[in-house]
Amino acid sequence: EIGKMADVSKKADAMRLKTDEARRGCNLPDTESVIQDYFCGIGAGTGRLYITQNYVCFLPVGLGNIMTLPFRRITNIKKERHALLFDNSISITMDDNQIHYFTSFVHRDETFNLLEHLNKHPPSYEDLEDEEPLPVSRTQRGSNNMDDPKRASSEDGGQMQVQAQFKPDTSASKRALQIAAQTREIGVNALGELKTQGEQLDRIDANLDSIHNNLDTSNRLLRGIESLPGAFANSLTKDKSASRSTPNLKDRNLDWKREIPPVDYPVLEKIKEGLNNDHLEPAILRFIEDKFLIAKPNLKPKNGMIWAYDKIQALVIRARHQHLDIKLSDNKTRIRICTSFIQQIVNEFSLRTKTGQINILFEPGTRKFSYGHRAASPPSSQATSQSARDLMGEGGFRRSTPKARDPLKTTFKDADQETRNGIQTQEDDLDDLSNIIGDLNAIAHTMGGELDRQNEHLDAIDRKTDHANARLKATNARIDR
């Protein structure tokens, strides 16, 4: 452990030195941090290309021009061939149509992938300090030393008086939850009845097929009895009715489980290449209801890259900025990614796992941020255009859209434990009620679809019954003759 801590500190110091060099050499804001740096050439000179959250900087070795390119001014990034022979170059086009050519990359494709990712997805962090944090989990309720009345100051008197006048009434939410649960149970039972009804319709349909099969056999026998040509024809033709198989009854179980849409985050997966080299490859980190997975950019899941949330042991925000390690409980598997969505991804994991299950660790020198808030924006609301960088505050932080403050939340922010427990119970009940309402909507949708299907099946059975009656009358008439 001591060796690992020393290694982490060493890497953090190395990143700090690189960041200081880039800030001084390229005159960058103090909020910029080096994510990766690469050796490359420009013109006849060589140097290092430093990539930060909002800038691409080139510092030459010896004499040469220092270059600072803001991402907000970059319009195109393209892979190029140097001297038409060496596939190791990148061109960057600016908004004034000026093109800069960087050559002699050892890791050209990785450099390109990182530049493209940062250009499409400006890194941003939400300042959630003014947002209400998620309520504590149901297992976290209990006494709090800060609620000791002896420690309350006189300035809390007015608030304590309000608390004395108002205690959360959880009975209403409990009644609503009970009614909703009973309604869901009725809906589930109704789906069971529809399943039974659908199976009955299948059996009726199968019986009608059997009747038609018997009529086919009767017609064949009557044809042989009525005339010698008919008997001769029977000897030359195959009895189709005998070849009919037993009806295959379908499974009419009704799956009403509501679909929860996945949440996708563009990332760069760090893949091992050779003995000592890593490579950043574009990928998608997808969150589904009970698992998360790594997919290709076309959303096709990678083989063996899917895990349940209860397998996560720790999230490590690395000293190399915008890098995140996801460590699993087998103590072997480590998913390494680089992404502009560090805060949002950590937030997703914190909301989708049990309280206390995972350790969230910030290595030295990393940017601290809030997590565990429903207010954190999903990727669909993340601005991905160049103008988005102009909307961000210092250091890439942006505040959530101001909302009207709930006076009750403000009043009871420091409420006593009993009051907070009551509010917590109401929050839990409302969450459960919301889930049940979603279930009811899914049940209603499934029920409507099954009723439509059964109505069409009834129409088909009605037509098949009319046809069987007509054939039966015709067969009886032939027998009577």
Side-chain angles (χ1 to χ4, degrees):
E1 286 296 327
I2 295 176
K4 288 183 179 179
M5 292 175 62
D7 190 46
V8 168
S9 297
K10 187 177 179 180
K11 290 180 179 179
D13 290 340
M15 291 306 302
R16 185 161 49 249
L17 289 175
K18 290 180 179 181
T19 294
D20 289 343
E21 183 177 355
R23 288 175 181 174
R24 288 195 307 269
C26 299
N27 195 27
L28 298 181
D30 291 341
T31 51
E32 293 298 308
S33 301
V34 171
I35 300 172
Q36 293 278 21
D37 61 298
Y38 302 95
F39 176 84
C40 67
I42 183 169
T46 60
R48 295 203 73 81
L49 190 74
Y50 293 92
I51 302 175
T52 71
Q53 286 85 355
N54 296 291
Y55 294 90
V56 181
C57 308
F58 178 79
L59 290 180
V61 175
L63 299 176
N65 294 326
I66 296 174
M67 191 173 297
T68 304
L69 308 177
F71 271 111
R72 62 184 176 83
R73 291 191 55 205
I74 294 175
T75 59
N76 189 44
I77 303 171
K78 185 179 178 183
K79 296 179 183 180
E80 301 282 0
R81 285 184 177 272
H82 180 50
L84 301 178
L85 296 175
F86 305 104
D87 193 18
N88 62 359
S89 303
I90 293 175
S91 67
I92 298 179
T93 305
M94 308 303 290
D95 55 4
D96 59 359
N97 294 323
Q98 186 176 5
I99 302 176
H100 302 281
Y101 291 92
F102 298 91
T103 63
S104 304
F105 283 101
V106 177
H107 305 288
R108 193 279 304 272
D109 289 347
E110 176 179 311
T111 309
F112 176 82
N113 291 338
L114 180 57
L115 290 171
E116 274 282 278
H117 179 83
L118 294 171
N119 195 42
K120 291 179 179 179
H121 312 290
S124 66
Y125 299 81
E126 289 192 83
D127 186 353
L128 302 174
E129 291 181 358
D130 289 341
E131 297 288 342
E132 289 296 330
L134 282 177
V136 296
S137 71
R138 300 175 188 185
T139 59
Q140 285 181 303
R141 296 180 197 157
S143 61
N144 186 334
N145 292 333
M146 295 303 294
D147 296 323
D148 187 347
K150 296 180 180 179
R151 306 180 71 174
S153 62
S154 59
E155 63 183 14
D156 295 329
Q159 190 175 23
M160 292 177 65
Q161 183 177 359
V162 174
Q163 294 170 13
Q165 295 173 357
F166 177 84
K167 292 295 181 183
D169 181 10
T170 60
S171 60
S173 61
K174 292 294 183 187
R175 284 195 302 272
L177 190 60
Q178 183 180 13
I179 293 171
Q182 291 172 348
T183 305
R184 180 175 60 185
E185 185 176 358
I186 293 172
V188 171
N189 292 336
L191 288 178
E193 293 296 327
L194 280 177
K195 171 183 176 294
T196 302
Q197 183 172 294
E199 292 171 344
Q200 290 174 343
L201 290 177
D202 287 341
R203 285 192 291 271
I204 293 171
D205 202 355
N207 290 335
L208 283 171
D209 286 338
S210 179
I211 291 171
H212 280 284
N213 183 51
N214 292 334
L215 288 172
D216 289 341
T217 302
S218 300
N219 287 336
R220 182 180 178 86
L221 293 174
L222 287 173
R223 184 172 63 178
I225 294 172
E226 289 173 340
S227 65
L228 288 175
F232 182 71
N234 285 345
S235 66
L236 296 178
T237 59
K238 185 178 180 180
D239 185 358
K240 295 181 180 180
S241 62
S243 65
R244 293 194 186 193
S245 60
T246 303
N248 184 21
L249 299 179
K250 297 180 180 179
D251 181 9
R252 292 303 180 186
N253 284 317
L254 300 175
D255 185 10
W256 58 268
K257 191 173 183 180
R258 58 194 173 101
E259 293 185 4
I260 300 176
V263 178
D264 295 336
Y265 289 92
V267 300
L268 297 172
E269 182 191 4
K270 205 165 191 176
I271 301 173
K272 195 75 174 177
E273 285 192 345
L275 295 177
N276 300 312
N277 294 327
D278 294 324
H279 178 67
L280 294 175
E281 191 71 28
I284 297 293
L285 177 59
R286 165 163 282 194
F287 292 88
I288 55 181
E289 185 174 4
D290 56 349
K291 293 180 178 66
F292 71 100
L293 58 91
I294 301 292
K296 297 178 181 180
N298 62 3
L299 298 181
K300 182 180 180 180
K302 293 189 174 183
N303 292 333
M305 301 291 282
I306 182 169
W307 304 271
Y309 293 115
D310 60 8
K311 300 298 182 183
I312 304 173
Q313 184 181 61
L315 302 176
V316 182
I317 295 86
R318 301 299 305 275
R320 184 176 288 278
H321 300 281
Q322 307 302 141
H323 283 66
L324 174 70
D325 284 3
I326 306 167
K327 295 185 177 181
L328 304 187
S329 55
D330 59 7
N331 292 321
K332 297 179 181 179
T333 307
R334 180 176 60 145
I335 305 110
R336 300 180 297 166
I337 59 174
C338 172
T339 179
S340 295
F341 303 103
I342 288 283
Q343 182 187 24
Q344 292 83 358
I345 289 173
V346 171
N347 192 69
E348 285 288 341
F349 278 121
S350 69
L351 295 178
R352 292 173 183 263
T353 53
K354 296 179 180 178
T355 303
Q357 174 189 325
I358 58 175
N359 293 322
I360 299 178
L361 308 173
F362 291 82
E363 289 187 347
T366 55
R367 185 196 299 263
K368 303 296 191 298
F369 52 77
S370 303
Y371 57 86
H373 293 255
R374 291 193 180 93
S377 300
S380 58
S381 65
Q382 290 290 323
T384 56
S385 64
Q386 296 306 315
S387 61
R389 297 180 187 270
D390 298 329
L391 301 177
M392 295 178 193
E394 184 178 357
F397 271 94
R398 59 187 180 87
R399 303 187 73 84
S400 301
T401 304
K403 301 174 183 177
R405 305 285 299 174
D406 186 340
L408 285 179
K409 286 186 177 181
T410 304
T411 302
F412 294 109
K413 185 177 180 180
D414 298 317
D416 60 64
Q417 190 63 43
E418 182 183 357
T419 301
R420 285 209 301 271
N421 285 348
I423 294 175
Q424 173 68 65
T425 300
Q426 289 179 332
E427 292 277 357
D428 292 340
D429 290 344
L430 289 174
D431 286 342
D432 292 341
L433 186 60
S434 176
N435 290 332
I436 292 177
I437 290 173
D439 291 344
L440 290 174
N441 182 60
I443 290 172
H445 180 76
T446 303
M447 193 179 296
E450 178 63 11
L451 286 172
D452 289 341
R453 188 199 66 78
Q454 290 189 13
N455 285 332
E456 292 177 359
H457 199 176
L458 283 169
D459 291 340
I461 288 174
D462 189 47
R463 291 191 296 271
K464 194 179 287 187
T465 301
D466 290 342
H467 185 209
N469 286 331
R471 291 188 64 190
L472 186 60
K473 289 180 180 179
T475 301
N476 288 333
R478 291 173 65 184
I479 293 173
D480 291 339
R481 288 201 303 268

